[in-house]
Amino acid sequence: MTLPRRKDNLVTQSPQVQSPIHEICVAVDLETTGLDSERDEIIEIGAVKFQGDEVLDTFQTLVNPGRPLPPFIRALTGITQKDLDGAPYFSSVAPDLMAFLGSHPIVGQNISFDLAFLRQKLVAQSNPAYDTRDLASALMPYFPEYSLGRLVEELGLGHARPHRAWDDADVTRQVYLALVEHALEVPAHQISEIARWAMRSRWSMAQLFKRIENAALSASPPAKMDQALDLEALRKRLPRSRPLSANVDLVPIDISLLERLFAPDGPLSRRFPGYEARQEQQRMAVEVAKAINGAEHLVVEAGTGVGKSVAYLLPAMLFAVANNKRVVVSTATINLQDQLIRKDIPALIEALSTEPEFSNAEIKVAQLKGRANYLCLRRWLNLRDSETLSQEEARLLSKTMLWMQDTTTGDRAEIGTAGRELQAWPHFSADGGDCVAPEGVCFFRHAKDEAESAHILVVNHSLLLTDLARGGGAIPPYDYLIIDEAHHLEEEATKRFGFDIIHRETESLVDGLVSAGGMVEKTRFAVRLSSLADHRRRDFEELLTRLAEDTLHWRQMWHQFRKVIYSVMLQYRDASDDSSQIQVTSSTRAQPAWADVEIAWENADLSLKEALDGLTEALEAIEDSSDIQIPNQDAVALEASALLQQGTDLRDHTLEFVIHPRKEMIYWLTAGVIEGTAEMHAAPLSVAPALQDGLFAQTKSVVMTSATLSADGTFDYFRRRVGIELSSELLVGSPFNYKKAVLLATPPDIPEPTTGGYQSAVADAVIELALAAEGRTMVLFTSYNALRATHAAVLGPLSAAGIRLLGQGIEAPPRQLLRSFQDDPKAVLLGTNTFWEGVDLRGGQLKVLILARLPFNPPSDPVFAARSELFEDPFKEFAVPQAILRFRQGFGRLIRSQEDRGVVVVLDRRLSSRAYGKTFIEAIPPCTTTDAPITALRGQVHEWLQRP
Ligand code: SF4
């Protein structure tokens, strides 16, 4: 529905209803010295008064903050100290600004940030506020992010000077208008629902949505008020599918057919332009086929550029289709999962369809994730009718309602959710609670149905191992499994076979029970509206009051317990060690102070037990009341059951941690997010037995592959870590010519990492090398402190040379940083853990890769320390192989395609000064090397990058 436009570009409307497009608003943006409205100051104000497409007036000024401008802000905005020294103080511009704003609604991106600064100075105290991020988040479910830059991009707008106040204000105006126009095209009955939820949650956008609703209804009153969500249409989009029924006699993969598919004139060459038959790829595919045919396990390392996903997918598809037998493929990262589902598998199906053997074959593919990823329709319907909603819930209801008009998966990954919306997602998700999988519409059940009917089922390591830890049930039974990115297997199993008792989780239990809109309040509300007899209603009320009191008492006792644990942690921590974590061993427990922990736990446990007993009683009372119509009975029962499960898990885990530790587990404490409190963690000493018994012994064939599985030329280390004894193995190198593509520099004039002067030498080297490459440089650190120190030291010199600096955890979240780095040819990216792998920068996007130091695990890491004790020579047998694998992953970031060329610089002298150094060099493909000092390296780097 598009509203007719007048000549002046304003929307035609009946006289009595004013469209939001008609409303005079002021778009505002501020630049400031920092993020804290109480400590930081405004340095620039930009504002645009507008009505529809017409700009009525503008306001723009720099503001003298009366303090030095931080270098980071100078680099971000381009505003200099000199610009500000001559600018007026805020007090002089405030009267004009107040007159400009009047009482008009203020429009802004993350407007609460700007309003906090203005209201601190008594400006814009009562203007209505419309946030473009909120608006987009509610109305544009498929936008991946809601940052201003991303909104501008998604809406096809231009943005000349980001991070300058007037430009940001003007582009925010354009974003706002585009979003309101879009809202006016949303069917009136859906906008009415959004307006209703906004009102119920007292969301500041309620007034705007009401206006949009009025305009929509007045422009096109619906004949009847349809349901905003058509459940029947949704049911039709989620048809039931038939589970796969495997052939009794399995037919092996025809190896000659497989080889023919890879031939230079085969279907792959016809499907993929520029296809080159690669020996390494074909060899791997044949070995995978043999492993599946022979029901054997296989470990394969395939260097970058082998095309390993095609090499395992093709034999898997041939086998699965010929036998109607499921093959499960597990990946660690979402990137690879997406690549398989959206790109590789459809392309292979297309290629196979040209072969006579497959022209009639139906190859079914599905993706399955953990329950928490799927929207639970039962919870959604309950929230839709709830009288008590938070703003995040209202926003998520709006977004998911629009999304459900056409999604066929209900998978959260299809929509953008971030920040506090993510915290509200558990109220919408299919995770937890008593789920009886009724005959109604259910996204999770649909995903499981699809999984059961699929030849190739793509899952992730997290689901694979969680399912294993819980004894199965989530993934349909499988005999054939391919684990890609298998170097993550141990780490992921460590997480899934252990547990964490952290503040956020315990608070969410308390909030779920007693916060505004929590289970107690919802139940109380429902009971008041029910047809229960007076005496039963009174009993119910008393039960809920007791439950709320017991929960709050438990929270108090729990807090005490965490304080006691923290004080014990301080006592045990070596005074010379500033580590914020300590391992809890049998000798820790033998110390007298541990008795205090046990006493504090007994008190906390007693109160937790009382609260859980009360919750059980409440749940039984709710369920027993099915005859007497409690409104939303289903919702409160589901919520109560999920909370009961959460509380029981918490109790069991804490009991194990404090009183009944298991000898096969590692336990440790870390400092909590709340000062003076501690958090508890547990992980298995070895994941090998569980993987061996639960996975390798139960499955006919497991193929494990990655570009980095071998250390010192063998798979011994990997095999021991994951517990795979019997298997074939294959190591195929990369087809790339690294001698031609990589200059490997190991400058000898860098001090050893533990000596004085190292940090400043790293900073100097980063500056030299980034200038030589004119950007396109990524620096990988092993610690966040080193990253921050380098960031502070190189920011000025690089900014002065026109090179943009992007620091993980400083400028933006990792995904956004990577996009900025890709878009800006003159940028330097400083990253830690997440950037050591999975980053795929091709086509010359990365020219210089700097590894600040060899990636040894910190000895203070409790899991590493405990596992080290299992070795005779822990350094040689454990620390070095682990660091080599990480080093190879970091090194692998540079060359991603045949055309890539660049320089790797390792700023760690131990590579040449220690005996183990050469094992690191031998673990990577042979490159052209130089040991020129940093001072001479700049010229060499420049010259190497200029070579054709
Ligand atoms: S079956 Fe479970 S996950 Fe599915 S809609 Fe019902 S309660 Fe939600």
Side-chain angles (χ1 to χ4, degrees):
M1 178 178 71
T2 310
L3 297 179
R5 291 190 157 280
R6 292 197 336 232
K7 249 199 188 144
D8 58 4
N9 222 18
L10 298 180
V11 178
T12 305
Q13 203 75 101
S14 59
Q16 72 278 17
V17 178
Q18 195 196 30
S19 160
I21 294 281
H22 279 112
E23 192 175 22
I24 296 177
C25 297
V26 184
V28 173
D29 187 74
L30 306 178
E31 299 303 327
T32 61
T33 56
L35 301 177
D36 187 336
S37 61
E38 292 190 3
R39 289 210 309 256
D40 290 303
E41 289 294 337
I42 297 170
I43 57 170
E44 190 179 33
I45 305 168
V48 186
K49 191 179 290 178
F50 64 98
Q51 185 178 31
D53 286 345
E54 190 182 353
V55 172
L56 304 175
D57 203 356
T58 62
F59 185 98
Q60 183 178 14
T61 182
L62 289 169
V63 180
N64 189 335
R67 63 169 74 173
L69 185 64
F72 163 58
I73 300 295
R74 193 178 61 222
L76 185 75
T77 59
I79 296 170
T80 64
Q81 188 66 50
K82 209 165 135 213
D83 295 334
L84 297 181
D85 287 345
Y89 288 100
F90 187 85
S91 52
S92 338
V93 300
D96 288 347
L97 177 63
M98 286 164 84
F100 187 87
L101 296 176
S103 57
H104 301 299
I106 295 181
V107 172
Q109 173 78 3
N110 276 335
I111 193 62
S112 55
F113 172 84
D114 305 84
L115 284 179
F117 277 86
L118 291 176
R119 288 179 177 162
Q120 177 80 7
K121 295 181 182 304
L122 305 180
V123 173
Q125 295 286 28
S126 56
N127 299 55
Y130 302 155
D131 191 329
T132 41
R133 176 188 275 268
D134 270 10
L135 198 53
S137 178
L139 295 172
M140 300 299 199
Y142 290 108
F143 281 11
E145 285 169 32
Y146 301 100
S147 63
L148 186 58
R150 201 61 197 256
L151 291 181
V152 166
E153 197 182 313
E154 295 285 342
L155 294 167
L157 303 170
H159 194 184
R161 289 196 311 167
H163 304 299
R164 288 308 300 260
W166 191 86
D167 295 73
D168 282 359
D170 192 51
V171 88
T172 304
R173 169 186 72 85
Q174 296 172 48
V175 167
Y176 172 76
L177 288 173
L179 292 172
V180 173
E181 295 252 5
H182 174 81
L184 289 166
E185 290 176 8
V186 172
H189 55 287
Q190 292 171 9
I191 281 294
S192 293
E193 278 283 47
I194 297 176
R196 194 166 62 88
W197 295 325
M199 295 289 280
R200 279 193 202 168
S201 64
R202 299 193 183 86
W203 185 9
S204 61
M205 305 292 282
Q207 181 183 324
L208 178 61
F209 280 120
K210 194 70 201 158
R211 280 172 175 274
I212 295 171
E213 179 194 13
N214 290 342
L217 289 173
S218 144
S220 171
K224 63 179 178 55
M225 192 51 103
D226 297 321
Q227 279 288 319
L229 179 63
D230 183 343
L231 285 176
E232 204 35 52
L234 184 55
R235 186 194 305 276
K236 284 191 186 136
R237 270 188 280 125
L238 307 179
R240 303 293 304 255
S241 26
R242 267 219 312 267
L244 218 54
S245 166
N247 300 348
V248 180
D249 297 318
L250 296 183
V251 182
I253 302 162
D254 179 345
I255 304 278
S256 60
L257 166 66
L258 181 65
E259 287 173 335
R260 210 179 72 224
L261 299 175
F262 283 99
D265 58 347
L268 294 188
S269 77
R270 290 195 292 276
R271 170 59 185 74
F272 297 102
Y275 172 82
E276 281 175 28
R278 276 169 278 180
Q279 258 183 7
E280 298 88 350
Q281 189 179 43
Q282 194 172 327
R283 202 167 150 221
M284 175 173 167
V286 169
E287 290 306 314
V288 171
K290 284 182 182 166
I292 293 176
N293 285 346
E296 283 179 344
H297 301 320
L298 171 69
V299 180
V300 192
E301 177 175 296
T304 313
V306 165
K308 63 179 163 40
S309 33
V310 170
Y312 64 69
L313 283 172
L314 258 191
M317 286 161 93
L318 298 193
F319 180 78
V321 173
N323 296 295
N324 243 358
K325 186 86 181 153
R326 179 176 310 111
V327 178
V328 174
V329 177
S330 181
T331 70
T333 57
I334 292 171
N335 280 354
L336 182 56
Q337 230 172 325
D338 281 354
Q339 186 194 310
L340 296 185
I341 287 286
R342 287 170 204 201
K343 205 170 135 228
D344 295 351
I345 296 177
L348 288 176
I349 291 176
E350 203 185 312
L352 285 178
S353 67
T354 61
E355 292 298 285
E357 293 91 333
F358 300 99
S359 54
N360 291 322
E362 192 198 8
I363 306 176
K364 284 205 70 182
V365 180
Q367 183 176 17
L368 186 65
K369 299 183 178 177
R371 297 181 66 115
N373 290 282
Y374 297 93
L375 184 85
C376 167
L377 201 63
R378 187 169 158 207
R379 281 196 164 128
W380 190 90
L381 290 169
N382 289 331
L383 278 162
R384 180 193 66 179
D385 299 331
S386 170
E387 293 298 324
T388 47
L389 286 176
S390 69
Q391 288 176 20
E392 284 70 39
E393 285 172 337
R395 214 160 50 225
L396 264 177
L397 272 171
S398 313
K399 181 189 302 220
T400 46
M401 176 193 57
L402 297 174
W403 172 48
M404 273 194 282
Q405 306 303 322
D406 48 30
T407 181
T408 54
T409 69
D411 176 359
R412 173 167 71 90
E414 288 183 356
I415 56 172
T417 42
R420 286 196 301 201
E421 269 180 24
L422 262 186
Q423 286 168 25
W425 176 256
H427 305 166
F428 290 75
S429 91
D431 201 22
D434 272 347
C435 179
V436 287
E439 282 307 299
V441 190
C442 173
F443 288 113
F444 179 62
R445 196 196 52 212
H446 178 68
K448 280 191 78 174
D449 279 358
E450 292 285 295
E452 280 175 26
S453 69
H455 294 102
I456 302 292
L457 172 61
V458 180
V459 301
N460 53 45
H461 293 0
S462 162
L463 175 63
L464 180 81
L465 296 160
T466 305
D467 193 38
L468 197 64
R470 292 185 184 164
I475 302 177
Y478 54 91
D479 289 325
Y480 298 88
L481 170 68
I482 295 169
I483 303 178
D484 200 345
E485 299 174 318
H487 58 278
H488 280 292
L489 194 58
E490 184 188 10
E491 183 193 336
E492 196 61 42
T494 300
K495 276 191 217 155
R496 302 299 147 197
F497 300 164
F499 59 80
D500 300 293
I501 305 170
I502 55 175
H503 177 70
R504 186 164 28 90
E505 304 269 318
T506 49
E507 278 304 292
S508 97
L509 176 60
V510 175
D511 281 353
L513 281 164
V514 295
S515 67
M519 178 256 160
V520 168
E521 188 181 289
K522 274 188 190 143
T523 312
R524 188 170 276 142
F525 192 80
V527 166
R528 276 187 199 147
L529 296 180
S530 74
S531 55
L532 278 173
D534 280 353
H535 70 282
R536 282 187 67 192
R537 193 177 300 152
R538 263 196 313 278
D539 289 350
F540 226 132
E541 293 261 353
E542 273 172 28
L543 176 61
L544 292 170
T545 304
R546 215 169 52 238
L547 172 58
E549 284 168 3
D550 286 348
T551 305
L552 292 174
H553 180 237
W554 166 68
R555 178 202 245 168
Q556 215 179 351
M557 300 309 289
W558 182 257
H559 198 62
Q560 293 295 337
F561 164 60
R562 290 175 67 222
K563 275 185 167 172
V564 172
I565 285 240
Y566 183 72
S567 71
V568 168
M569 179 176 159
L570 288 187
Q571 285 177 47
Y572 290 158
R573 198 158 70 187
D574 185 341
S576 60
D577 177 10
D578 67 349
S579 160
S580 55
Q581 45 191 1
I582 67 148
Q583 196 185 335
V584 178
T585 60
S586 48
S587 61
T588 321
R589 294 170 199 279
Q591 305 279 329
W594 194 257
D596 296 342
V597 174
E598 291 180 348
I599 291 167
W601 158 243
E602 273 165 27
N603 290 333
D605 183 50
L606 218 59
S607 57
L608 175 57
K609 187 175 176 308
E610 268 169 27
L612 293 181
D613 287 348
L615 183 54
T616 309
E617 218 181 310
L619 178 60
E620 284 166 5
I622 295 162
E623 284 169 343
D624 286 350
S625 307
S626 53
D627 52 324
I628 35 80
Q629 290 181 6
I630 293 183
N632 272 339
Q633 182 197 19
D634 190 36
V636 288
L638 190 67
E639 247 16 85
S641 135
L643 291 164
L644 188 58
Q645 185 60 52
Q646 204 180 331
T648 308
D649 286 349
L650 172 69
R651 193 162 176 240
D652 291 348
H653 288 157
T654 321
L655 190 69
E656 175 183 325
F657 191 99
V658 180
I659 311 285
H660 301 304
R662 289 185 284 152
K663 65 176 183 338
E664 67 275 18
M665 297 292 282
I666 305 161
Y667 301 93
W668 73 101
L669 295 168
T670 54
V673 283
I674 307 256
E675 208 177 326
T677 64
E679 306 197 312
M680 291 158 269
H681 312 268
L685 197 50
S686 167
V687 299
L691 289 177
Q692 204 169 40
D693 298 346
L695 196 65
F696 303 127
Q698 307 298 327
T699 318
K700 287 202 163 75
S701 172
V702 181
V703 174
M704 283 161 283
T705 184
S706 160
T708 49
L709 289 180
S710 71
D712 217 1
T714 75
F715 293 113
D716 296 352
Y717 173 76
F718 174 74
R719 281 167 171 287
R720 275 199 302 272
R721 301 310 306 155
V722 301
I724 178 100
E725 284 164 5
L726 290 174
S727 77
S728 309
E729 51 189 50
L730 174 71
L731 208 156
V732 280
S734 167
F736 299 156
N737 183 347
Y738 280 83
K739 275 252 180 232
K740 205 168 153 225
V742 180
L743 175 67
L744 173 66
T746 50
D749 51 341
I750 295 281
E752 292 238 347
T754 46
T755 58
Y758 169 74
Q759 180 53 48
S760 65
V762 168
D764 291 346
V766 169
I767 295 166
E768 284 292 315
L769 295 163
L771 292 177
E774 296 175 12
R776 293 279 186 228
T777 298
M778 180 159 80
V779 192
L780 297 179
F781 293 89
T782 53
S783 95
Y784 191 59
N785 285 347
L787 184 153
R788 283 195 83 92
T790 309
H791 187 280
V794 306
L795 178 62
L798 293 186
S799 303
I803 294 174
R804 185 175 174 197
L805 186 63
L806 301 163
Q808 187 183 349
I810 300 173
E811 271 86 16
R815 216 162 55 160
Q816 221 169 306
L817 276 189
L818 201 58
R819 278 169 53 85
S820 304
F821 184 72
Q822 286 170 307
D823 292 345
D824 192 339
K826 291 192 84 176
V828 169
L829 195 157
L830 311 184
T832 55
N833 282 346
T834 41
F835 287 94
W836 278 80
E837 59 181 297
V839 173
D840 198 10
L841 297 163
R842 289 163 188 254
Q845 288 177 331
L846 179 63
K847 290 182 178 165
V848 175
L849 172 70
I850 303 173
L851 306 180
R853 63 192 288 177
L854 296 178
F856 283 107
N857 237 320
S860 57
D861 172 354
V863 176
F864 177 75
R867 288 179 175 169
S868 293
E869 288 175 15
L870 302 176
F871 296 87
E872 250 175 55
D873 183 348
F875 184 71
K876 196 170 154 213
E877 295 171 49
F878 187 42
V880 169
Q882 200 172 54
I884 287 177
L885 288 177
R886 195 100 185 111
F887 177 72
R888 295 181 63 206
Q889 283 151 14
F891 174 86
R893 296 313 99 216
L894 184 67
I895 304 298
R896 308 301 299 166
S897 70
Q898 204 68 264
E899 294 72 39
D900 290 342
R901 175 180 183 77
V903 182
V904 175
V905 185
V906 186
L907 300 176
D908 194 328
R909 263 182 75 178
R910 291 176 296 179
L911 219 44
S912 48
S913 68
R914 303 294 166 91
Y916 58 77
K918 74 174 188 338
T919 55
F920 283 79
I921 299 290
E922 284 165 4
I924 55 175
C927 311
T928 301
T929 57
T930 174
D931 58 1
I934 281 291
T935 41
L937 199 53
R938 185 169 170 175
Q940 285 194 16
V941 168
H942 189 72
E943 193 266 326
W944 181 264
L945 295 177
Q946 297 306 312
R947 283 195 199 173

